[in-house]
Amino acid sequence: MRRLAILAENAFSWQTAKTATGVIRYGNDLVVAVIDSTQAGKDVAQALQLSYGAGIPIVHDIYAALDYQPDALMIGIAPTRGELPEVWRGVLLAAIDAGLDIISGLHTFLSDDVELSSAAARRGVTLWDVRRPPDKKLVARYLPHRPGSHTILTVGSDCVAGKMTSALELNLAAQRHGINSGFLATGQTGIMISGNGLPADRIISDFLAGLVEELVLDFTNQYDWVFVEGQGALNHPGYSPVTLGLLHGSMPDAMIFSHRANATTLSSYENCPILPLKRLIEMNEAVVSWPNPQRQARVVGISLITAGMNDQEAQDVIKQVEDETGLPTTDTFRFGADMLIDALLTHFAA
Amino acid sequence: MRRLAILAENAFSWQTAKTATGVIRYGNDLVVAVIDSTQAGKDVAQALQLSYGAGIPIVHDIYAALDYQPDALMIGIAPTRGELPEVWRGVLLAAIDAGLDIISGLHTFLSDDVELSSAAARRGVTLWDVRRPPDKKLVARYLPHRPGSHTILTVGSDCVAGKMTSALELNLAAQRHGINSGFLATGQTGIMISGNGLPADRIISDFLAGLVEELVLDFTNQYDWVFVEGQGALNHPGYSPVTLGLLHGSMPDAMIFSHRANATTLSSYENCPILPLKRLIEMNEAVVSWPNPQRQARVVGISLITAGMNDQEAQDVIKQVEDETGLPTTDTFRFGADMLIDALLTHFAA
C-alpha cells in the first residue's frame, strides 16, 4: 500500500477532481494529504461535504504535503485536453526532488518531458503515465465471450454522470453477494484505483474496439460478472466515438445507465439538450445490436447522481425516473448498488 | 507533378489495393509503374479489367520500376493493422538508395524506423507518413458551419463500399456543375490523392471528432459544398468509432450512402450480416441528430459498387435498390455522379 499525496490545486470538489475523489474512496492506496491551497485547513470530508475522507488533511502546497511522508504524488484532476498546466511543473519537480514517484493521468505524458524525466532518472523515482496506451494494433474480431460469463457496461447521458462510480459500486455489491466479479477500468481514474485497465480515450480510433475486446475476453475468462467502466455518451459530440468503441468492443449482455439527476443539457455544451432518458436508453440498446441483431443487450437499471439533495429529495427524483423509464433506479453512491444487483440477477436468470 | 512508382506486390486489384487504384484514377501525380511480380507484363487496365490505366506497366520489382524514372515510391496497399511487412524493407531501402522519396499510408511510421530514416537522411530523400496524425488535442465544440455552406458525408454499409470513390466522383461532378466544391480526405488514400486531409482512423479517440470539426469548419469557409470522405460503418464491430467520429465531427447536412451491391455480410466478419439498407440508412440519419434533435441530415442518394457485373446487371441491381429504398441510386464509378448532384441540388433547394 502506497502513501499518496494528491494534487488538486484550486479544484478539489467531486465535480472537478473526480480522479482525486475516486482514488480516495475506492483506491487501495492510503491517501495522506490533498493539495489545494484554496481549501487548506479543511479535511476531505468537509471540503466535499460528503461522508468520507474525514481526517485526510487538505494542505497548502507540496512542501506541506511532505510532512505526511507520501511515497508518491498523484495528479488528481483531469483538465480538458489533458495537458500539463505549466504552473504545476515546479510542484512536480519539488515532489521528484523529495523522492516521490509521480502518477499522472494526463494526455501529455510526463515521461516524454525531458526536464521531468531526467529529474526522475537522477532521483531514481518513477513517472507512471496511466494514460499511455498499449503499443498494439488490434482490430476487433467480434468474438463471443466465455459462455456463462456476463459483461455489464455502464453507459450514460453525459461525462461525469457516474459511470465509473456505478461500475465500482456494482462490483463491490456483486462481490458481497458472493459473485465472482471484476471491475474493468477504461479511464485514468479507474486504472489508478484498480491498478490495471485500458485508457480508452487515448487509444487510436482504429484499435479502440479491438483493445477493449481483448481485455474483456481476458476478464470474462477470469470472472463470472465483468463490470466495464463506460466513457462519454453516444449523444456527446466530442466523446461519442469512445463510447461506441466501448459498446462494440465490450459487447455487453446488460447495461446500467448513469445520469446526473435533473441535468438538462450536456456539461459544457449548452446547445446539446439531454434527450428523454427513454430515448437515450433505446439508443444504447440499439447500438449493441448494430453489428448483428441477434446479439442484444438491455439497460436493466439506472443510477442517478443526486449529490446536493437531501435523502427525501433524492428519493423523489429516483421515484420520478423510475416512473418515467419503468426501470429500477437508485443512487449507487448514496444508497448502494444492491437493488441493481438484484435486477441483474433477475435479468440473467430470465 | 511527381512521377510515382506504386508498390502493390501480390495484391494489385481494386479490392486489395485501393490506395494504388485510387491514386492512379484520381491523383494529380503521374503513375509510371506498378510493382506486382504476380502480374508483371500486364498493364493496369488489363490487371484491373477496368477502363483506366491503359499503358501504365506492371513490373516485377523495384529495379524494373526504376527504368521508368520515378521520383517517389508509394506504398499502394493497406494491410490490416497497417504494419510494414518485413519483406518490403529491402524494397524500400533499394528505392531510397536510388534517390526516391517514399510515401506511406501504413500505421507503422517509416520515419520512426531507425534503419529507414537513417538511410533516407543519408540519401537526402523524404519519408512521408501520410497517416501521422496532427499532434493536437482538440475536443469537438459542436460549432455551426458557415451559413449557406453544405457538408455532405459519404457513409456506407462496410469498409471498401465505395465511400472515398463516391466522394471524389461527387466532387468532380459538382465542380463540372459550376459548384465551388471541395473534397475533404479522411483516409490515407484520399490524403495521397488530394495532398491534404486527416488520417481519421489514426487519431486518438478523444480528439477524433474535434480534429474533424476543425478541418470541416476550415473547408466550409472555403467551399460552398464540402464532400467529406467517410470511413468504416456504424455497424462494423471494429471501425464503428471512426465512423461515429466523422459523423459527429463533420455534422453533415446530407449524406450519400455507399454499398457493395449484393453484399450480405461484412467483409472478414461472416457473423455480421449486412442489415437491410433502409435500416442502415435510418441508423446514420438518427446518429446525426443524437447531440441535438434540431440538427438533422438525410441520406439523399445511394452509390453502389457494381464491379464485375455487365451494364445490364448493374442497372438491374440499381433499380432493385431504388425500389427497396426509394432513393436515387447509381454506381458513381461506372455511371458518374450527376444524378446524385441533381438529388443534392433538389434537397438543398427544398
Side-chain angles (χ1 to χ4, degrees), chain A residues 81 107 137 139-142 200-209 234-235 237-242 244-245 248 269 271-273 275 279 283 287 290-293, chain B residues 81 107-108 137 139-142 200-209 234-235 237-242 244-245 248 269 271-273 275 279 283 287 290-293:
Chain A
R81 293 194 306 277
H107 267 297
K137 299 179 173 70
V139 175
R141 290 178 296 163
Y142 201 65
D201 60 2
R202 179 74 197 195
I203 294 172
I204 289 173
S205 310
D206 245 12
F207 308 127
L208 172 57
L234 287 175
N235 48 307
Y239 301 129
S240 58
V242 185
L244 186 56
H248 283 173
Y269 293 82
N271 51 359
C272 294
L275 305 183
R279 173 79 189 96
M283 266 184 208
V287 159
W290 281 354
N292 184 333
Chain B
R81 293 193 305 275
H107 267 296
T108 304
K137 299 178 175 72
V139 175
R141 289 179 295 163
Y142 201 64
D201 60 3
R202 180 70 195 197
I203 294 173
I204 289 173
S205 309
D206 245 12
F207 307 127
L208 172 58
L234 287 175
N235 48 308
Y239 301 129
S240 58
V242 185
L244 185 56
H248 283 174
Y269 293 82
N271 50 359
C272 294
L275 305 184
R279 174 77 189 99
M283 264 184 210
V287 160
W290 281 354
N292 184 335

Coordinates of all heavy atoms in Angstrom, one line a residue, chain A residues 81 107 137 139-142 200-209 234-235 237-242 244-245 248 269 271-273 275 279 283 287 290-293, chain B residues 81 107-108 137 139-142 200-209 234-235 237-242 244-245 248 269 271-273 275 279 283 287 290-293:
Chain A
R81 N -8.5 18.4 -22.5 CA -7.4 18.2 -23.4 C -6.2 17.5 -22.6 O -5.3 17.0 -23.2 CB -6.9 19.4 -24.0 CG -7.8 20.0 -25.1 CD -7.2 21.0 -26.0 NE -6.5 22.1 -25.2 CZ -7.2 23.2 -24.7 NH1 -8.5 23.3 -25.0 NH2 -6.5 24.1 -24.0
H107 N -3.2 13.5 -20.6 CA -2.9 13.1 -22.0 C -1.4 13.4 -22.3 O -0.8 12.7 -23.1 CB -3.8 13.9 -23.0 CG -5.0 13.2 -23.4 ND1 -5.1 12.0 -24.0 CD2 -6.3 13.5 -23.2 CE1 -6.3 11.6 -24.2 NE2 -7.1 12.5 -23.7
K137 N -1.6 -3.0 -32.3 CA -2.5 -2.7 -33.3 C -3.5 -3.9 -33.4 O -3.1 -4.9 -33.9 CB -1.8 -2.5 -34.6 CG -0.8 -1.3 -34.6 CD -0.1 -1.1 -35.9 CE 0.8 0.2 -35.8 NZ 1.9 0.1 -34.9
V139 N -7.5 -5.0 -34.4 CA -8.9 -4.6 -34.8 C -9.8 -5.6 -34.2 O -9.5 -6.8 -34.1 CB -9.0 -4.6 -36.3 CG1 -10.4 -4.4 -36.8 CG2 -8.0 -3.6 -36.9
A140 N -11.0 -5.2 -33.7 CA -11.9 -6.1 -33.0 C -12.3 -7.2 -34.0 O -12.6 -7.0 -35.2 CB -13.2 -5.3 -32.5
R141 N -12.5 -8.4 -33.4 CA -12.8 -9.5 -34.3 C -14.3 -10.0 -34.0 O -14.7 -11.0 -34.6 CB -11.8 -10.7 -34.0 CG -10.4 -10.3 -34.6 CD -9.5 -11.4 -34.3 NE -9.2 -11.6 -32.9 CZ -8.6 -12.6 -32.3 NH1 -8.3 -13.7 -33.1 NH2 -8.4 -12.7 -31.0
Y142 N -15.0 -9.4 -33.1 CA -16.4 -9.8 -32.8 C -16.5 -11.2 -32.3 O -17.3 -12.0 -32.8 CB -17.2 -9.5 -34.0 CG -18.7 -9.4 -33.7 CD1 -19.1 -8.3 -33.0 CD2 -19.6 -10.3 -34.2 CE1 -20.5 -8.1 -32.7 CE2 -21.0 -10.1 -33.9 CZ -21.4 -9.1 -33.1 OH -22.7 -8.9 -32.8
A200 N -9.1 4.2 -22.6 CA -9.9 4.1 -23.8 C -9.8 5.4 -24.6 O -9.6 5.3 -25.9 CB -11.3 3.7 -23.5
D201 N -9.9 6.5 -24.0 CA -10.0 7.8 -24.7 C -8.7 8.1 -25.4 O -8.6 9.0 -26.2 CB -10.5 8.9 -23.8 CG -9.5 9.1 -22.6 OD1 -8.5 8.5 -22.5 OD2 -9.9 10.0 -21.8
R202 N -7.6 7.4 -25.0 CA -6.3 7.7 -25.6 C -5.9 6.8 -26.7 O -4.9 6.9 -27.3 CB -5.3 7.5 -24.4 CG -3.9 7.8 -24.8 CD -3.6 9.3 -25.0 NE -2.3 9.4 -25.7 CZ -1.7 10.6 -25.7 NH1 -2.2 11.7 -25.1 NH2 -0.6 10.7 -26.4
I203 N -6.8 5.8 -27.0 CA -6.4 4.8 -28.0 C -6.8 5.2 -29.4 O -7.8 5.9 -29.6 CB -7.1 3.4 -27.6 CG1 -6.6 2.9 -26.3 CG2 -6.9 2.4 -28.7 CD1 -7.3 1.7 -25.8
I204 N -5.9 4.9 -30.3 CA -6.1 5.2 -31.7 C -7.5 4.6 -32.2 O -7.8 3.4 -31.9 CB -5.0 4.6 -32.6 CG1 -3.7 5.5 -32.3 CG2 -5.3 4.6 -34.0 CD1 -2.5 4.9 -32.9
S205 N -8.3 5.4 -32.8 CA -9.7 5.0 -33.1 C -9.8 3.7 -33.8 O -10.7 2.9 -33.4 CB -10.3 6.1 -34.1 OG -10.1 7.4 -33.6
D206 N -8.9 3.3 -34.7 CA -9.0 2.0 -35.4 C -8.9 0.8 -34.5 O -9.3 -0.2 -34.8 CB -7.8 1.9 -36.4 CG -8.3 1.9 -37.8 OD1 -9.5 2.2 -38.1 OD2 -7.5 1.6 -38.7
F207 N -8.2 1.0 -33.3 CA -7.9 -0.1 -32.5 C -8.6 -0.1 -31.1 O -8.4 -1.0 -30.3 CB -6.3 -0.2 -32.2 CG -5.5 -0.1 -33.5 CD1 -4.5 0.8 -33.6 CD2 -5.8 -1.0 -34.5 CE1 -3.8 0.8 -34.8 CE2 -5.1 -1.0 -35.7 CZ -4.1 0.0 -35.8
L208 N -9.5 0.9 -31.0 CA -10.2 1.1 -29.7 C -11.0 -0.2 -29.4 O -10.8 -0.8 -28.3 CB -11.0 2.3 -29.7 CG -12.0 2.5 -28.6 CD1 -11.2 2.6 -27.3 CD2 -12.8 3.8 -28.8
A209 N -11.9 -0.5 -30.3 CA -12.8 -1.7 -30.0 C -12.0 -3.0 -29.9 O -12.3 -3.8 -29.1 CB -13.9 -1.8 -31.1
L234 N -23.2 8.4 -26.1 CA -23.4 8.4 -27.5 C -23.9 9.7 -28.1 O -23.6 10.0 -29.2 CB -24.5 7.3 -27.8 CG -24.1 5.8 -27.7 CD1 -25.2 4.9 -27.9 CD2 -22.9 5.5 -28.6
N235 N -24.6 10.5 -27.2 CA -25.1 11.8 -27.7 C -24.1 12.9 -27.4 O -24.5 14.1 -27.6 CB -26.4 12.1 -26.9 CG -26.3 11.8 -25.4 OD1 -25.8 10.7 -25.0 ND2 -26.6 12.8 -24.6
P237 N -21.1 15.2 -28.5 CA -20.5 15.5 -29.8 C -19.0 15.3 -29.9 O -18.4 15.2 -31.0 CB -20.9 16.9 -30.1 CG -21.2 17.5 -28.8 CD -21.7 16.4 -27.9
G238 N -18.3 15.3 -28.7 CA -16.9 15.1 -28.7 C -16.5 13.7 -28.4 O -15.6 13.2 -29.1
Y239 N -17.1 13.1 -27.4 CA -16.6 11.8 -26.9 C -17.3 10.6 -27.4 O -17.0 9.5 -27.0 CB -16.6 11.9 -25.4 CG -15.7 13.0 -24.8 CD1 -16.2 13.8 -23.8 CD2 -14.4 13.2 -25.2 CE1 -15.5 14.9 -23.3 CE2 -13.7 14.2 -24.7 CZ -14.2 15.1 -23.7 OH -13.4 16.1 -23.2
S240 N -18.3 10.8 -28.3 CA -19.1 9.7 -28.7 C -18.3 8.5 -29.3 O -18.7 7.3 -29.1 CB -20.3 10.1 -29.7 OG -19.7 10.8 -30.8
P241 N -17.2 8.8 -30.0 CA -16.5 7.6 -30.6 C -16.0 6.7 -29.5 O -15.9 5.5 -29.7 CB -15.4 8.3 -31.4 CG -15.8 9.7 -31.7 CD -16.7 10.1 -30.5
V242 N -15.5 7.3 -28.4 CA -15.0 6.5 -27.3 C -16.2 5.6 -26.7 O -16.0 4.4 -26.5 CB -14.5 7.4 -26.1 CG1 -13.8 6.5 -25.1 CG2 -13.5 8.4 -26.7
L244 N -18.8 4.5 -28.3 CA -19.2 3.5 -29.3 C -18.1 2.4 -29.3 O -18.5 1.2 -29.4 CB -19.4 4.1 -30.7 CG -19.9 3.1 -31.7 CD1 -21.2 2.4 -31.3 CD2 -20.1 3.8 -33.1
G245 N -16.9 2.8 -29.2 CA -15.8 1.7 -29.2 C -15.9 0.8 -28.0 O -15.7 -0.4 -28.0
H248 N -19.1 -1.5 -28.7 CA -18.8 -2.6 -29.7 C -17.6 -3.5 -29.3 O -17.6 -4.6 -29.7 CB -18.7 -2.0 -31.1 CG -19.9 -1.6 -31.7 ND1 -20.0 -1.0 -32.9 CD2 -21.2 -1.8 -31.4 CE1 -21.3 -0.8 -33.2 NE2 -22.1 -1.3 -32.3
Y269 N -21.9 22.0 -23.0 CA -22.5 22.1 -24.4 C -23.9 22.5 -24.2 O -24.8 21.7 -24.2 CB -22.5 20.8 -25.1 CG -21.1 20.3 -25.5 CD1 -20.3 19.6 -24.5 CD2 -20.6 20.5 -26.8 CE1 -19.0 19.2 -24.9 CE2 -19.3 20.1 -27.1 CZ -18.5 19.4 -26.1 OH -17.2 19.0 -26.5
N271 N -25.8 24.0 -26.2 CA -26.7 23.7 -27.3 C -27.0 22.2 -27.5 O -27.5 21.8 -28.6 CB -26.0 24.3 -28.6 CG -24.6 23.9 -28.8 OD1 -24.0 23.2 -27.9 ND2 -24.0 24.4 -29.8
C272 N -26.6 21.4 -26.6 CA -27.0 20.0 -26.7 C -27.9 19.6 -25.5 O -27.4 19.3 -24.4 CB -25.7 19.1 -26.6 SG -24.6 19.4 -28.1
P273 N -29.2 19.6 -25.7 CA -30.1 19.2 -24.7 C -30.0 17.7 -24.4 O -29.7 16.9 -25.3 CB -31.5 19.5 -25.3 CG -31.3 19.4 -26.8 CD -29.9 19.8 -27.0
L275 N -31.6 14.4 -24.1 CA -32.9 13.9 -24.5 C -33.6 13.1 -23.4 O -32.9 12.8 -22.4 CB -32.6 12.9 -25.7 CG -31.9 13.6 -26.9 CD1 -31.8 12.6 -28.0 CD2 -32.6 14.8 -27.4
R279 N -35.3 7.7 -24.5 CA -34.7 7.7 -25.8 C -33.2 7.4 -25.7 O -32.7 6.7 -26.6 CB -34.9 9.2 -26.4 CG -34.3 9.5 -27.7 CD -35.0 8.9 -28.9 NE -34.2 9.0 -30.1 CZ -33.4 8.1 -30.6 NH1 -33.4 6.9 -30.0 NH2 -32.7 8.3 -31.7
M283 N -31.3 4.2 -27.6 CA -30.0 4.4 -28.4 C -29.0 3.4 -28.0 O -28.4 2.7 -28.9 CB -29.4 5.8 -28.1 CG -29.8 6.9 -28.9 SD -28.7 8.3 -28.3 CE -29.8 9.6 -28.7
V287 N -27.6 0.3 -30.4 CA -26.2 0.2 -30.9 C -25.6 -1.1 -30.7 O -24.8 -1.6 -31.5 CB -25.4 1.3 -30.1 CG1 -23.9 1.1 -30.2 CG2 -25.7 2.7 -30.7
W290 N -26.3 -3.4 -33.6 CA -26.0 -3.0 -34.9 C -25.1 -4.0 -35.7 O -25.5 -4.3 -36.8 CB -25.2 -1.7 -34.9 CG -26.1 -0.5 -34.8 CD1 -27.5 -0.4 -34.7 CD2 -25.7 0.9 -34.6 NE1 -27.9 0.9 -34.5 CE2 -26.9 1.7 -34.5 CE3 -24.5 1.5 -34.5 CZ2 -26.8 3.1 -34.3 CZ3 -24.4 2.9 -34.3 CH2 -25.6 3.7 -34.2
P291 N -24.1 -4.5 -35.1 CA -23.3 -5.5 -35.9 C -24.0 -6.8 -36.2 O -23.7 -7.4 -37.2 CB -22.0 -5.7 -35.1 CG -22.0 -4.6 -34.1 CD -23.4 -4.2 -33.8
N292 N -24.9 -7.2 -35.3 CA -25.6 -8.4 -35.5 C -26.9 -8.4 -34.6 O -26.8 -8.4 -33.4 CB -24.8 -9.6 -35.2 CG -25.5 -10.9 -35.5 OD1 -26.8 -11.0 -35.5 ND2 -24.8 -12.0 -35.8
P293 N -28.1 -8.3 -35.2 CA -29.3 -8.2 -34.5 C -29.5 -9.3 -33.4 O -30.3 -9.1 -32.5 CB -30.4 -8.2 -35.5 CG -29.7 -7.8 -36.8 CD -28.3 -8.4 -36.7
Chain B
R81 N -4.2 -3.8 -39.8 CA -3.3 -3.3 -38.8 C -2.2 -2.4 -39.3 O -1.5 -1.7 -38.5 CB -2.6 -4.4 -38.0 CG -3.6 -5.2 -37.1 CD -2.9 -6.1 -36.1 NE -1.9 -7.0 -36.7 CZ -2.2 -8.1 -37.3 NH1 -3.4 -8.6 -37.3 NH2 -1.2 -8.9 -37.8
H107 N 0.1 2.3 -40.8 CA 0.0 2.7 -39.4 C 1.4 2.8 -38.8 O 1.7 3.6 -38.0 CB -0.8 1.7 -38.6 CG -2.2 2.1 -38.4 ND1 -2.7 3.2 -37.8 CD2 -3.4 1.5 -38.9 CE1 -4.0 3.3 -37.8 NE2 -4.4 2.2 -38.5
T108 N 2.3 1.9 -39.2 CA 3.7 1.9 -38.7 C 4.4 3.0 -39.5 O 4.5 2.9 -40.7 CB 4.3 0.5 -39.0 OG1 3.6 -0.5 -38.4 CG2 5.8 0.5 -38.5
K137 N -4.5 18.4 -29.4 CA -5.5 17.9 -28.5 C -6.7 18.8 -28.6 O -6.7 19.9 -28.1 CB -5.0 17.8 -27.1 CG -3.8 16.9 -27.0 CD -3.2 16.8 -25.6 CE -2.1 15.8 -25.4 NZ -0.9 16.2 -26.1
V139 N -11.0 18.8 -28.5 CA -12.3 18.2 -28.3 C -13.3 18.9 -29.1 O -13.3 20.2 -29.2 CB -12.7 18.1 -26.8 CG1 -14.1 17.6 -26.6 CG2 -11.6 17.3 -26.1
A140 N -14.2 18.2 -29.8 CA -15.2 18.9 -30.7 C -16.1 19.8 -29.8 O -16.4 19.5 -28.7 CB -16.1 17.8 -31.3
R141 N -16.4 21.0 -30.4 CA -17.2 22.0 -29.7 C -18.6 22.1 -30.2 O -19.4 22.9 -29.7 CB -16.4 23.3 -29.8 CG -15.1 23.3 -29.0 CD -14.4 24.6 -29.1 NE -13.9 24.9 -30.4 CZ -13.6 26.1 -30.9 NH1 -13.6 27.1 -30.1 NH2 -13.1 26.2 -32.1
Y142 N -18.9 21.4 -31.3 CA -20.3 21.4 -31.8 C -20.6 22.8 -32.3 O -21.7 23.3 -32.0 CB -21.3 20.9 -30.7 CG -22.6 20.4 -31.3 CD1 -22.6 19.3 -32.1 CD2 -23.8 21.1 -31.1 CE1 -23.8 18.8 -32.6 CE2 -25.0 20.6 -31.6 CZ -25.0 19.5 -32.4 OH -26.2 19.1 -32.9
A200 N -8.2 9.9 -40.2 CA -9.1 9.7 -39.1 C -8.9 8.5 -38.3 O -9.0 8.6 -37.0 CB -10.6 9.7 -39.7
D201 N -8.6 7.4 -38.9 CA -8.5 6.1 -38.2 C -7.3 6.1 -37.2 O -7.2 5.2 -36.4 CB -8.6 4.9 -39.1 CG -7.4 5.0 -40.1 OD1 -6.5 5.9 -40.0 OD2 -7.4 4.0 -40.9
R202 N -6.4 7.0 -37.4 CA -5.2 7.0 -36.6 C -5.3 8.0 -35.5 O -4.3 8.1 -34.7 CB -4.1 7.5 -37.6 CG -2.7 7.6 -37.0 CD -2.1 6.2 -36.7 NE -1.0 6.3 -35.8 CZ -0.1 5.3 -35.6 NH1 -0.2 4.2 -36.2 NH2 0.9 5.5 -34.7
I203 N -6.3 8.8 -35.4 CA -6.4 9.8 -34.4 C -6.9 9.2 -33.0 O -7.7 8.3 -33.0 CB -7.4 10.9 -34.9 CG1 -6.7 11.6 -36.1 CG2 -7.6 12.0 -33.8 CD1 -7.6 12.6 -36.8
I204 N -6.4 9.8 -32.0 CA -6.8 9.4 -30.6 C -8.2 9.6 -30.5 O -8.8 10.7 -30.8 CB -5.9 10.2 -29.6 CG1 -4.5 9.7 -29.6 CG2 -6.5 10.1 -28.2 CD1 -3.5 10.5 -28.8
S205 N -8.9 8.6 -29.9 CA -10.4 8.6 -29.9 C -11.0 9.9 -29.3 O -12.0 10.5 -29.8 CB -10.9 7.5 -29.1 OG -10.3 6.3 -29.5
D206 N -10.4 10.5 -28.3 CA -10.9 11.7 -27.6 C -10.9 12.9 -28.5 O -11.7 13.8 -28.3 CB -10.0 12.0 -26.4 CG -10.8 11.9 -25.1 OD1 -11.9 11.4 -25.1 OD2 -10.3 12.3 -24.1
F207 N -10.0 12.9 -29.5 CA -9.8 14.1 -30.3 C -10.3 13.9 -31.8 O -10.2 14.8 -32.6 CB -8.3 14.5 -30.3 CG -7.8 14.6 -28.9 CD1 -6.6 14.0 -28.5 CD2 -8.4 15.4 -28.0 CE1 -6.1 14.1 -27.2 CE2 -8.0 15.5 -26.7 CZ -6.8 14.8 -26.3
L208 N -10.8 12.7 -32.1 CA -11.2 12.5 -33.5 C -12.3 13.5 -33.9 O -12.1 14.2 -34.9 CB -11.8 11.0 -33.6 CG -12.4 10.6 -34.9 CD1 -11.5 10.8 -36.0 CD2 -12.9 9.2 -34.8
A209 N -13.4 13.6 -33.2 CA -14.5 14.5 -33.7 C -13.9 15.9 -33.7 O -14.3 16.7 -34.6 CB -15.7 14.3 -32.8
L234 N -21.2 2.3 -39.2 CA -21.7 2.2 -37.9 C -21.9 0.8 -37.4 O -21.8 0.5 -36.2 CB -23.0 3.0 -37.8 CG -22.9 4.5 -37.9 CD1 -24.3 5.1 -37.9 CD2 -22.1 5.1 -36.7
N235 N -22.2 -0.1 -38.3 CA -22.5 -1.5 -37.9 C -21.2 -2.3 -38.0 O -21.3 -3.6 -37.8 CB -23.5 -2.1 -38.9 CG -23.2 -1.8 -40.4 OD1 -22.9 -0.6 -40.7 ND2 -23.1 -2.8 -41.2
P237 N -18.0 -3.9 -36.3 CA -17.6 -4.0 -34.9 C -16.2 -3.5 -34.6 O -15.9 -3.2 -33.4 CB -17.7 -5.5 -34.6 CG -17.6 -6.2 -36.0 CD -18.2 -5.2 -37.0
G238 N -15.4 -3.3 -35.6 CA -14.0 -2.8 -35.3 C -13.9 -1.3 -35.6 O -13.3 -0.6 -34.8
Y239 N -14.5 -0.8 -36.7 CA -14.2 0.5 -37.1 C -15.3 1.5 -36.8 O -15.2 2.7 -37.2 CB -13.9 0.5 -38.6 CG -12.7 -0.3 -39.0 CD1 -12.8 -1.3 -40.0 CD2 -11.5 -0.2 -38.4 CE1 -11.8 -2.1 -40.4 CE2 -10.4 -1.0 -38.7 CZ -10.6 -1.9 -39.7 OH -9.5 -2.7 -40.0
S240 N -16.4 1.1 -36.1 CA -17.5 2.0 -35.9 C -17.2 3.3 -35.2 O -17.7 4.3 -35.4 CB -18.6 1.2 -35.2 OG -18.2 0.7 -33.9
P241 N -16.2 3.3 -34.3 CA -15.8 4.5 -33.6 C -15.3 5.6 -34.6 O -15.6 6.8 -34.4 CB -14.7 4.2 -32.6 CG -14.9 2.7 -32.4 CD -15.4 2.1 -33.7
V242 N -14.6 5.2 -35.6 CA -14.1 6.1 -36.6 C -15.3 6.7 -37.4 O -15.4 7.9 -37.6 CB -13.2 5.4 -37.6 CG1 -12.6 6.4 -38.6 CG2 -12.1 4.7 -36.8
L244 N -18.4 7.1 -36.3 CA -19.2 8.0 -35.5 C -18.4 9.3 -35.3 O -19.0 10.4 -35.3 CB -19.5 7.3 -34.1 CG -20.4 8.1 -33.2 CD1 -21.7 8.5 -33.9 CD2 -20.6 7.4 -31.9
G245 N -17.1 9.2 -35.2 CA -16.3 10.5 -35.0 C -16.5 11.3 -36.2 O -16.5 12.6 -36.1
H248 N -20.2 12.9 -36.1 CA -20.4 13.9 -35.1 C -19.4 15.1 -35.3 O -19.6 16.2 -35.0 CB -20.3 13.4 -33.7 CG -21.6 12.7 -33.3 ND1 -21.7 12.0 -32.1 CD2 -22.8 12.6 -33.9 CE1 -22.9 11.5 -32.1 NE2 -23.6 11.8 -33.2
Y269 N -16.1 -10.5 -41.7 CA -16.9 -10.8 -40.5 C -18.2 -11.6 -40.9 O -19.2 -11.0 -41.1 CB -17.3 -9.5 -39.8 CG -16.2 -8.7 -39.2 CD1 -15.4 -7.9 -40.0 CD2 -15.9 -8.8 -37.8 CE1 -14.4 -7.2 -39.4 CE2 -14.9 -8.1 -37.3 CZ -14.1 -7.3 -38.1 OH -13.1 -6.6 -37.5
N271 N -20.0 -13.4 -39.3 CA -21.1 -13.4 -38.3 C -21.7 -12.1 -38.2 O -22.5 -11.8 -37.2 CB -20.5 -13.9 -36.9 CG -19.3 -13.1 -36.5 OD1 -18.8 -12.3 -37.3 ND2 -18.7 -13.4 -35.3
C272 N -21.4 -11.2 -39.1 CA -22.1 -9.8 -39.1 C -22.9 -9.7 -40.4 O -22.3 -9.2 -41.4 CB -21.1 -8.7 -38.9 SG -20.3 -8.7 -37.3
P273 N -24.2 -10.0 -40.4 CA -25.0 -9.8 -41.6 C -25.1 -8.3 -41.9 O -25.2 -7.5 -41.0 CB -26.3 -10.4 -41.2 CG -26.4 -10.3 -39.8 CD -25.0 -10.4 -39.3
L275 N -27.4 -5.5 -42.6 CA -28.8 -5.3 -42.4 C -29.5 -4.7 -43.7 O -28.8 -4.2 -44.5 CB -29.1 -4.4 -41.2 CG -28.4 -4.8 -39.9 CD1 -28.8 -3.9 -38.8 CD2 -28.9 -6.2 -39.6
R279 N -32.7 0.1 -43.0 CA -32.3 0.2 -41.6 C -31.0 0.9 -41.4 O -30.8 1.7 -40.5 CB -32.3 -1.3 -41.1 CG -31.8 -1.4 -39.7 CD -32.8 -1.1 -38.6 NE -32.2 -1.0 -37.3 CZ -31.8 0.1 -36.7 NH1 -32.0 1.2 -37.3 NH2 -31.3 0.0 -35.5
M283 N -30.2 4.4 -39.3 CA -29.1 4.5 -38.3 C -28.3 5.7 -38.5 O -28.1 6.5 -37.5 CB -28.1 3.3 -38.5 CG -28.3 2.1 -37.7 SD -26.9 1.0 -38.1 CE -27.8 -0.5 -37.8
V287 N -28.1 9.0 -36.0 CA -26.9 9.4 -35.3 C -26.6 10.9 -35.4 O -26.1 11.5 -34.4 CB -25.7 8.5 -35.8 CG1 -24.4 9.1 -35.5 CG2 -25.8 7.1 -35.2
W290 N -28.4 12.8 -32.7 CA -28.2 12.5 -31.3 C -27.8 13.7 -30.4 O -28.4 13.9 -29.4 CB -27.2 11.3 -31.2 CG -27.7 10.0 -31.5 CD1 -29.0 9.6 -31.7 CD2 -27.0 8.8 -31.5 NE1 -29.1 8.3 -32.0 CE2 -27.9 7.7 -31.8 CE3 -25.6 8.5 -31.3 CZ2 -27.4 6.4 -31.9 CZ3 -25.2 7.2 -31.5 CH2 -26.1 6.1 -31.8
P291 N -26.8 14.4 -30.8 CA -26.4 15.5 -29.9 C -27.5 16.6 -29.7 O -27.6 17.3 -28.7 CB -25.1 16.1 -30.5 CG -24.6 15.0 -31.4 CD -25.9 14.3 -31.9
N292 N -28.3 16.8 -30.8 CA -29.3 17.8 -30.8 C -30.3 17.5 -31.9 O -30.0 17.6 -33.1 CB -28.7 19.2 -31.0 CG -29.8 20.3 -30.9 OD1 -31.0 20.0 -31.1 ND2 -29.4 21.5 -30.5
P293 N -31.6 17.2 -31.5 CA -32.6 16.7 -32.5 C -32.9 17.8 -33.6 O -33.4 17.4 -34.6 CB -33.8 16.4 -31.7 CG -33.3 16.2 -30.3 CD -32.1 17.1 -30.1

